[in-house]
């Protein structure tokens, strides 16, 4: 009995992995709104009932596929980025080569902004990316690669805005060279980062001290 149970768990794990990879392939092949559990089942060659049993909610399968895709992105890089800005540029280049992930990202934004069951998990992924960029920029400052006169988390938020803004642009303006635009935007960002953030004067406090 134990062996049978162990075999079932192993089979389920193998099937789940196959389904997740099938979901990634489906989103590569089709627009976001055309992919559903039936499309995923057909793409990976499993019965629809197996998809429904292992992933009872569509949002759950979206989250797992999204996480796995993020893990795969960057895994085949032939060079190591010199700094955080270079890392984001490489990521954007990977987005251009594999736009299905960007379509998935754009598709889950309404979910992340909602109150549905998995919305918090998607929002957490955005927070984790900001934290990753923040840590990277702090490291760049410590090693002398970057000069930043504002808090690192603010610089990270601005860099993320450039990245995600260009992701949207590549979907709706496919003729745009987003890597060229990224380089232009980064030059502007770096120029602004070098200027210390102006102090907001509290006139009431200054009059009291006077």
């Amino acid at each position: 009995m134990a062996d049978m149970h162990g075999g079932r768990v192993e089979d389920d794990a193998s099937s789940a992995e196959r389904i997740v990879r099938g979901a990634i392939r489906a989103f590569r092949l089709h627009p976001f709104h055309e992919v559903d559990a039936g499309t995923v089942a057909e793409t990976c060659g499993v019965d629809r009932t197996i998809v429904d049993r292992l992933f009872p909610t569509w949002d759950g399968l979206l989250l797992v596929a999204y996480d796995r895709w993020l893990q795969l992105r960057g895994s085949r890089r032939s060079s190591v980025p010199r700094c955080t800005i270079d890392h984001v540029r490489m990521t954007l280049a990977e987005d251009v080569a594999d736009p299905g992930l960007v379509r998935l990202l754009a598709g889950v934004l309404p979910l992340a902004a909602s109150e549905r069951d998995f919305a918090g998990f998607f929002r957490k992924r955005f927070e984790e990316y900001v934290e990753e960029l923040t840590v990277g920029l702090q490291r760049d400052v410590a090693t002398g690669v970057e000069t930043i006169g504002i808090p690192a988390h603010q610089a990270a938020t601005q860099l993320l805005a450039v990245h995600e803004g260009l992701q949207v642009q590549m979907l709706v303006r496919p003729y745009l060279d987003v890597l060229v635009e990224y380089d232009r935007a980064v030059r502007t960002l770096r120029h602004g980062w070098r200027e210390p953030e102006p102090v907001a004067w509290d006139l009431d406090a200054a009059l009291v001290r006077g």
Side-chain angles (χ1 to χ4, degrees), residues 174-203:
Y175 54 84
L176 194 69
D177 190 331
V178 293
L179 294 177
V180 169
E181 297 304 325
Y182 177 82
D183 293 339
R184 290 171 177 163
V186 161
R187 284 196 294 271
T188 302
L189 279 182
R190 277 180 161 150
H191 179 75
W193 289 349
R194 295 188 183 101
E195 297 294 328
E197 191 172 37
V199 177
W201 288 96
D202 187 336
L203 295 180

Side-chain angles (χ1 to χ4, degrees), residues 1-59:
M1 180 67 70
D3 288 342
M4 290 177 61
H5 177 71
R8 171 64 178 273
V9 171
E10 184 176 343
D11 288 345
D12 282 354
S14 176
S15 295
E17 175 67 18
R18 183 175 177 179
I19 290 167
V20 170
R21 291 186 176 273
I24 292 173
R25 177 165 173 76
F27 283 116
R28 280 180 169 142
L29 294 173
H30 307 288
F32 177 83
H33 66 279
E34 293 182 3
V35 179
D36 57 16
T39 311
V40 172
E42 182 179 352
T43 302
C44 63
V46 303
D47 192 89
R48 167 68 184 267
T49 59
I50 298 177
V51 176
D52 292 338
R53 179 172 63 81
L54 295 179
F55 295 95
T57 66
W58 176 243
D59 291 352

Side-chain angles (χ1 to χ4, degrees), residues 132-202:
E132 175 191 335
L133 295 179
T134 299
V135 171
L137 289 172
Q138 289 171 335
R139 182 173 57 248
D140 294 342
V141 170
T143 57
V145 176
E146 297 287 357
T147 300
I148 302 179
I150 64 174
H153 70 88
Q154 291 181 8
T157 296
Q158 294 169 8
L159 184 57
L160 175 61
V162 169
H163 182 196
E164 293 188 339
L166 289 173
Q167 285 179 318
V168 172
Q169 292 298 312
M170 64 175 275
L171 293 180
V172 299
R173 303 169 69 195
Y175 54 84
L176 194 69
D177 190 331
V178 293
L179 294 177
V180 169
E181 297 304 325
Y182 177 82
D183 293 339
R184 290 171 177 163
V186 161
R187 284 196 294 271
T188 302
L189 279 182
R190 277 180 161 150
H191 179 75
W193 289 349
R194 295 188 183 101
E195 297 294 328
E197 191 172 37
V199 177
W201 288 96
D202 187 336

Side-chain angles (χ1 to χ4, degrees), residues 27-28 66 69-75 77 86-106 129 159-171 174 176-179 182:
F27 283 116
R28 280 180 169 142
Y66 181 66
W69 212 337
L70 291 180
Q71 292 171 3
L72 294 174
R73 187 169 63 175
S75 60
R77 288 181 181 175
D86 286 353
H87 163 68
V88 175
R89 191 185 194 282
M90 287 183 180
T91 303
L92 183 59
E94 290 157 359
D95 292 338
V96 172
D98 193 12
L101 176 58
V102 180
R103 291 196 297 268
L104 175 57
L105 172 63
Y129 190 30
L159 184 57
L160 175 61
V162 169
H163 182 196
E164 293 188 339
L166 289 173
Q167 285 179 318
V168 172
Q169 292 298 312
M170 64 175 275
L171 293 180
L176 194 69
D177 190 331
V178 293
L179 294 177
Y182 177 82

Side-chain angles (χ1 to χ4, degrees), residues 108-129:
V108 301
L109 282 176
L111 170 59
S114 73
E115 297 302 323
R116 288 161 63 175
D117 289 344
F118 285 85
F121 292 101
F122 281 105
R123 288 196 291 269
K124 188 171 185 290
R125 300 305 184 269
F126 286 92
E127 294 295 339
E128 289 170 348
Y129 190 30

